[in-house]
Amino acid sequence: MRSFATACTLIALALAGCGSRSAVPGAGDNWSAPSGDTAHSRYSRLTDINAATVGRLGLAWSKDLGTNRGLEATPVVIDGVMYTSGVLGRAYAFDAATGKAIWAFEPTVDMQVNRAACCDQVNRGVAVANGRVFVAALDGKLYALDAKTGAVAWSADTVVDHRRGYSSTGAPEVAGDVVIIGNGGADADARGYVTAYDVNSGRQRWRFFMAPSDPKLGPQASPELEAAVKTWDRNSRWDVGGGGAPWDAITYDPRFGTVYIGVGNAEPEHKRARSPAGGDNLYTSSIVAIDPKSGRMKWYFQETPGDSWDYDETQPMVLTDLVIKGQRTPVLLHAPKNGFLFVIDRRTGKLIDAPALVPTNWASGFDLATGRAKLTPERSDYFSGPKIVFPSTPGARNWQPPAFDPQTGLLYASILDMGNLIFIPPGPKPYRARALNNGTALIFGPDIVDTLPSLPPPLRAAVEALPEMQRIRAKPYTSELRAIDPHTGKTVWAAPMSGWQDRGGAMATAGGLVFQGRLDGRLNAYDARTVALLKSIDTGVAIMAAPMTYRVGGVQYVAVMAGWGGGGWPYVPPYSATAKYGPLNRILVFRLDGGPVKLPDPLPPLEVAPPPPPQLAGTDAAMIAHGRELFYGNCGICHSNQPRSHSPDLRRLDAGTHAQFQQIVRGGLLLPAGMPRWDDLLTASDVDAIHAWLIDQQTKTRARELALKRAGLPLDSKSAAILSSF
């Protein structure tokens, strides 16, 4: 039955290309968009690099992009020129065969946006059309650049209200004569939307909001929003914005003249906190299909109704045809955070199937007749007490792109099977401008057991009584690259990954290969049918982004952007290349019979933390405790206080930085370097409390490390644990 289904899929896919750029699915010599082709399959028809030859793969060229922050883009190659993006919305053009720089563009960015950008300064790519390269800067400005020179042809400020926490990290999408861009910020105070601009002039053509406005302010802007507002409590937390930020996964389908928008979570996270009477809270956590000419909605499908678990639906989609009940059916394949693989008729939005990819306890499945999730609030509703929810808020899937191979009929994607503890901390939740307003606390699965002793006794007892604790203790997570049958959601093969943060994007080729990068710095090539590891190249740089391939002058190349960052960017995994070599950031390009990769020099051993200044006047235990609370509520998203992190370890500040602490935090002294100012949210006494806690931490860190040094042990956490056991 499996082989018959696969054969039917291949026949259907061969027909599916009608009306596309090519009659055969997949990219050829050019890789014309971050997703490769109009099917968004990240599949290449090139076969020079195949199972028999991939062992000869070596480095052709590389480029250091001069930053220590994350790279998530997949390059575009058109007629021998590579276009790609870097941090903050920087854009580059290179000779794709030699790596010679053609031009570079650096936008002027309001660095205060770093306070609202939840997940680093990353950018997921450019769009290229009509001789223009389109890229979005982190602060929300969209640029159209001349493809030959990099000169700005036009720019547009896409942000409707700069007083709120909007940012842009996704790739623009060209849909006919418009270019469409979304935004992030649902975890702050944004009201999500997408905007379409004329590709030639930059004139705004339309804008579609994903959450309604406060009905007390008057009628909604469109009939679609009039329908949506009925699914919200009239007394919702409109001050927080509503959420629904479409920060990625804008997907144009030229066959049906439709743009599919993956929409982010609502805010605050728990639906009773944001919409007390309940409701689905449309169009958050949905796929919304829009006519790119008019900006009007064709259909929507809500994948997580009344989302309370931060289940963005912004993960990349794949467009293909599958044989469903004997009929060739154009479908949209979408595996978002919530743990299900959605097979949707992309003409109508009707749900065809939704098999689970991982165990879930927020819903037991979907009713295929109604398209509704079968919610299980007894397992997942944390409004009145803590719950361990599967999958976790990082998601069974996230932004790392999947690949679909029409030869095997399989979807290749990184899958995380992990839960997390989630609860609502006590106390009021006032609105905070351009800051996190999710109103929840969470602890990831691998950390739950270790964190239990530090929880207040009533909370600890409630967590220990949860039935999911048995599973957490037995196996806190599984992280794998999987080959998935889209007809059933079943795993055909799986390759284990190094840790739960290791979730690289995938690329498949007609050479029978699946490529994926790892956080340990390895670029791996697997047999697409058997999972056999055919080639593994140690690059010395952590890889998250999806690889791509192209051909110039008869030579096939494989390229990948490498650099750790994104969500949780300051928390460097100990198994990653970043922990060993530091936060490097570069483009790596390979070819058959290329050269070896020169590994970076390992980081030098840690030195003992410098002596802290005297404690601030008036400091007591209460002030230090308050400083700790303020730090984790405001600073911890960027400062992990790990010695190998991208961001400064604030337990190791020098005397000069201590002396300027107020000017840095409240005055914006280091704003050009990306450290935003906090004078609108934190008082001088608040900053003193944070400073007092950091001085206390530096004092303890120095004492511990001096003891390790005297004992002849390295200055790491394992040694500290050994020392404390005596």
Side-chain angles (χ1 to χ4, degrees):
M1 189 68 183
R2 169 74 180 89
S3 59
F4 173 75
T6 300
C8 291
T9 301
L10 294 178
I11 294 170
L13 285 166
L15 298 171
C18 300
S20 319
R21 296 174 193 161
S22 170
V24 181
D29 287 359
N30 289 336
W31 187 278
S32 57
S35 57
D37 62 0
T38 56
H40 297 260
S41 66
R42 289 177 171 81
Y43 170 76
S44 170
R45 303 190 306 273
L46 300 182
T47 59
D48 301 338
I49 299 172
N50 55 51
T53 63
V54 71
R56 294 160 43 201
L57 202 65
L59 187 69
W61 58 268
S62 68
K63 288 291 180 182
D64 189 330
L65 296 184
T67 176
N68 66 355
R69 304 295 278 270
L71 288 181
E72 296 185 357
T74 301
V76 169
V77 171
I78 297 176
D79 297 335
V81 179
M82 175 185 288
Y83 305 97
T84 193
S85 62
V87 299
L88 298 168
R90 296 169 184 167
Y92 308 89
F94 300 98
D95 183 303
T98 67
K100 180 181 178 181
I102 298 173
W103 54 257
F105 166 74
E106 182 164 354
T108 300
V109 175
D110 176 5
M111 297 300 276
Q112 188 68 11
V113 73
N114 284 283
R115 201 175 89 185
C118 82
C119 306
D120 202 1
Q121 299 175 347
V122 296
N123 188 282
R124 293 182 201 89
V126 301
V128 183
N130 292 25
R132 302 274 170 83
V133 177
F134 302 95
V135 65
L138 187 66
D139 61 359
K141 183 169 282 190
L142 178 65
Y143 292 90
L145 310 175
D146 185 287
K148 292 183 178 180
T149 66
V152 177
W154 57 259
S155 65
D157 185 353
T158 73
V159 174
V160 295
D161 186 351
H162 284 281
R163 296 170 297 179
R164 292 187 173 263
Y166 288 104
S167 60
S168 290
T169 57
E173 180 83 345
V174 173
D177 61 354
V178 296
V179 56
I180 304 171
I181 189 66
N183 51 66
D187 295 327
D189 56 354
R191 178 186 173 213
Y193 57 87
V194 293
T195 314
Y197 297 90
D198 185 286
V199 294
N200 294 313
S201 67
R203 178 176 63 87
Q204 181 177 320
R205 297 272 286 271
W206 52 262
R207 174 169 285 150
F208 191 98
F209 279 91
M210 300 301 171
S213 60
D214 185 347
K216 299 183 185 69
L217 300 179
Q220 301 295 320
S222 68
E224 293 90 343
L225 289 175
E226 290 291 355
V229 77
K230 297 175 183 177
T231 68
W232 293 71
D233 188 332
R234 183 174 177 83
N235 297 311
S236 292
R237 287 292 305 274
W238 304 111
D239 58 327
V240 178
W247 49 266
D248 206 7
I250 301 173
T251 306
Y252 177 51
D253 182 353
R255 181 175 171 188
F256 296 108
T258 303
V259 178
Y260 310 108
I261 311 295
V263 186
N265 59 287
E267 193 75 351
E269 281 183 3
H270 198 288
K271 67 178 178 181
R272 285 179 61 187
R274 68 172 177 267
S275 181
D280 288 349
N281 295 174
L282 294 173
Y283 297 99
T284 65
S285 299
S286 302
I287 295 175
V288 176
I290 296 177
D291 182 337
K293 294 181 179 179
S294 66
R296 299 301 299 272
M297 186 174 73
K298 291 186 171 184
W299 56 258
Y300 76 89
F301 178 77
Q302 192 170 41
E303 295 178 333
T304 311
D307 178 18
S308 292
W309 309 280
D310 193 12
Y311 287 157
D312 302 280
E313 318 303 312
T314 52
Q315 290 63 48
M317 310 172 197
V318 172
L319 311 180
T320 189
D321 282 20
L322 296 180
V323 175
I324 308 294
K325 296 180 179 179
Q327 298 293 319
R328 180 170 65 92
T329 305
V331 300
L332 181 153
L333 301 178
H334 193 223
K337 279 187 176 185
N338 72 16
F340 292 91
L341 172 60
F342 293 91
V343 184
I344 298 171
D345 187 321
R346 65 187 203 258
R347 298 167 299 185
T348 64
K350 176 178 172 53
L351 179 65
I352 296 171
D353 205 355
L357 297 178
V358 297
T360 66
N361 69 353
W362 71 273
S364 61
F366 278 76
D367 184 325
L368 298 185
T370 64
R372 296 287 300 179
K374 301 174 184 177
L375 299 176
T376 51
E378 69 279 5
R379 303 283 302 281
S380 60
D381 188 349
Y382 56 90
F383 193 75
S384 300
K387 291 290 190 294
I388 296 175
V389 180
F390 288 86
S392 61
T393 56
R397 292 272 305 122
N398 212 298
W399 65 266
Q400 296 87 350
F404 182 78
D405 184 340
Q407 293 187 115
T408 64
L410 299 176
L411 181 73
Y412 303 94
S414 56
I415 303 293
L416 175 63
D417 178 7
M418 183 177 82
N420 55 222
L421 173 65
I422 185 166
F423 58 93
I424 298 177
K429 307 293 183 297
Y431 163 63
R432 302 191 311 150
R434 302 183 75 181
L436 291 177
N437 285 281
N438 50 14
T440 60
L442 59 89
I443 302 171
F444 298 128
D447 302 320
I448 292 174
V449 173
D450 291 339
T451 306
L452 279 175
S454 65
L455 298 178
L459 177 59
R460 181 170 68 245
V463 173
E464 289 177 331
L466 294 173
E468 287 81 8
M469 276 303 299
Q470 182 177 354
R471 181 181 173 197
I472 291 291
R473 292 183 187 277
K475 192 172 187 180
Y477 72 90
T478 299
S479 181
E480 298 173 322
L481 172 66
R482 295 184 187 176
I484 300 164
D485 184 338
H487 292 276
T488 64
K490 300 296 185 183
T491 298
V492 176
W493 59 251
M497 299 175 73
S498 300
W500 72 264
Q501 293 158 289
D502 196 4
R503 313 181 66 181
M507 184 259 293
T509 76
L513 302 173
V514 175
F515 287 87
Q516 185 202 34
R518 298 290 181 88
L519 291 189
D520 65 6
R522 292 192 171 274
L523 178 65
N524 292 338
Y526 298 92
D527 186 296
R529 297 184 184 275
T530 70
V531 77
L533 181 61
L534 302 178
K535 181 69 173 181
S536 183
I537 300 174
D538 188 357
T539 71
V541 187
I543 303 172
M544 305 182 299
M548 52 82 71
T549 188
Y550 58 93
R551 186 161 51 193
V552 178
V555 177
Q556 184 181 353
Y557 298 85
V558 172
V560 68
M561 306 280 281
W564 162 252
W569 63 271
Y571 295 84
V572 177
Y575 54 82
S576 68
T578 304
K580 183 176 181 179
Y581 298 112
L584 306 174
N585 181 314
R586 58 188 55 164
I587 304 172
L588 299 163
V589 181
F590 303 88
R591 57 167 291 174
L592 296 181
D593 303 317
V597 177
K598 185 180 184 301
L599 294 178
D601 293 329
L603 292 170
L606 286 175
E607 297 183 359
V608 173
Q615 191 53 274
L616 303 183
T619 297
D620 57 16
M623 181 176 176
I624 290 173
H626 183 51
R628 180 183 185 277
E629 179 183 359
L630 289 170
F631 179 88
Y632 284 111
N634 298 283
C635 317
I637 194 170
C638 292
H639 290 282
S640 64
N641 285 351
Q642 289 180 324
R644 300 303 197 192
S645 177
H646 301 46
S647 60
D649 181 350
L650 302 182
R651 304 167 305 165
R652 299 173 184 275
L653 298 181
D654 57 31
T657 305
H658 277 292
Q660 296 178 310
F661 198 82
Q662 283 278 354
Q663 295 96 311
I664 292 171
V665 178
R666 281 179 44 83
L669 185 64
L670 299 182
L671 181 61
M675 169 61 196
R677 66 182 186 276
W678 291 82
D679 53 321
D680 60 325
L681 283 184
L682 298 176
T683 66
S685 59
D686 288 337
V687 174
D688 277 345
I690 295 171
H691 194 190
W693 179 71
L694 289 172
I695 291 172
D696 180 69
Q697 289 293 296
Q698 186 164 341
T699 301
K700 293 174 179 176
T701 300
R702 178 173 171 80
R704 180 173 62 250
E705 292 178 346
L706 285 172
L708 290 170
K709 186 174 182 179
R710 287 193 295 268
L713 296 171
L715 307 183
D716 57 29
S717 57
K718 290 182 180 179
S719 297
I722 293 171
L723 189 67
S724 65
S725 66
F726 287 98

